[in-house]
Amino acid sequence: GEPGDGSRKAFMREFRKVVETADVVLEVLDARDPLGCRCYDAEKMVMSVGGGRKRIIMVLNKVDLVPKDVVERWLEYLRNDFPTIPFRASLQEQKEKGSSKSSSLGADLLSRSECFGGDKLIQLLKNYSRNNGMKTALTVGVVGYPNVGKSSIINSLKRSRAVAVGSTPGLTRSLQEVALDKNLRLIDCPGIVFASDTAPSASLILRNCIRVEQLSDPIAPVETIIRRCGPHALCAAFGTPLFDGAAEFLAVVAKKRGMIRKGGGIDVEAAARAVLREWNSGERVAFYTLPPRAAGTARVV
């Protein structure tokens, strides 16, 4: 059920088109796990195709899902490589495209429903356009793993639902172009997963890059979640007693939710898919990582 070879090749063709067309590439990262969804292969391709002339800007999206001090540590870390803008997308109508009231990472601002980081991003893009003395519109490619929020960022800047948005991996299937104004053109690219192997790794599944319904083994990624979070966080999140291993945890979740197979046995696979869906949506456990040399952590919401 994972993307086949033909599908991957089609995605790669689309991705290369974006890279070749764009003057600037926005690499969108999920603030909860920036390195987990950073694509070094894509960055190398951008630098090689443009002969070093193309610019990369990292957009650290979903900063409202991570503590402020963690966001600041990630910004400091990522800015060693490329300019990095903290961002929180919004679909609310605003007075100006991508407007936000402030550039600080204040908790009060992050709790609001408006776009955060839009002004800074547009300003940076316009600076590139001016500095390069460009006579035509600046073309900006938006790339990243599935479900990091590429389309939502474009829609926040545009102020209307210009591009299809959803948390189903692979929703954006081909290039979509949006003109922000006469000087700025954005291209949304399908989510690229650079994977040489055909079987998806647990980390790809936990980044919502693969559809949960199509997994042949939904239990292995739940084992990864348990290793990442520890049993205590999951007990609190799912209301289970302390358990010993994934099989016991999923059996309790299945019983609690009445997930029973036709023959009367408990359906641990259905429970595993439910846990994965809730993990990917951030519904029960809000997990975030720290920059290198510090351990990952999890908190229950």
Side-chain angles (χ1 to χ4, degrees), residues 30-46:
D30 187 322
R32 293 170 293 183
D33 184 15
L35 290 191
C37 51
R38 185 171 173 182
C39 193
Y40 293 96
D41 289 340
E43 291 166 21
K44 281 182 202 149
M45 194 189 287
V46 172

Side-chain angles (χ1 to χ4, degrees), residues 159-181:
R159 296 181 303 146
S160 62
R161 296 181 72 115
V163 179
V165 176
S167 66
T168 305
L171 184 60
T172 307
R173 298 209 169 270
S174 58
L175 300 192
Q176 302 190 57
E177 196 175 299
V178 175
L180 274 192
D181 59 30

Side-chain angles (χ1 to χ4, degrees), residues 205-226:
I205 295 159
L206 298 187
R207 279 184 233 129
N208 204 8
C209 295
I210 311 289
R211 295 185 193 214
V212 169
E213 294 74 23
Q214 296 176 346
L215 294 174
S216 52
D217 175 16
I219 294 166
V222 174
E223 289 167 349
T224 305
I225 291 175
I226 294 169

Side-chain angles (χ1 to χ4, degrees), residues 227-287:
R227 278 197 304 276
R228 281 189 177 192
C229 288
H232 290 282
L234 292 175
C235 289
F238 289 89
T240 70
L242 206 54
F243 54 85
D244 182 22
E248 191 181 322
F249 167 62
L250 292 171
V252 174
V253 171
K255 278 180 196 158
K256 276 189 71 158
R257 299 190 180 190
M259 294 171 163
I260 309 297
R261 292 188 183 278
K262 277 185 183 164
I266 55 172
D267 194 341
V268 289
E269 287 202 353
R273 290 180 208 280
V275 168
L276 288 174
R277 273 192 292 271
E278 287 165 31
W279 165 272
N280 284 332
S281 69
E283 230 172 279
R284 286 181 187 268
V285 179
F287 176 81

Side-chain angles (χ1 to χ4, degrees), residues 107-179:
D108 59 328
L109 178 65
L110 290 184
S111 65
R112 295 178 194 160
S113 57
E114 67 213 27
C115 167
F116 171 79
D119 276 349
K120 272 199 164 180
L121 186 52
I122 287 180
Q123 197 53 54
L124 190 55
L125 292 171
K126 291 195 168 176
N127 286 348
Y128 285 152
S129 183
R130 273 198 298 275
N131 293 345
N132 295 342
M134 298 181 77
K135 300 283 187 280
T136 55
L138 186 77
T139 303
V140 180
V142 185
V143 304
Y145 275 89
N147 207 38
V148 290
K150 300 181 301 295
S151 300
S152 300
I153 285 174
I154 290 178
N155 292 334
S156 292
L157 297 176
K158 183 66 179 169
R159 296 181 303 146
S160 62
R161 296 181 72 115
V163 179
V165 176
S167 66
T168 305
L171 184 60
T172 307
R173 298 209 169 270
S174 58
L175 300 192
Q176 302 190 57
E177 196 175 299
V178 175

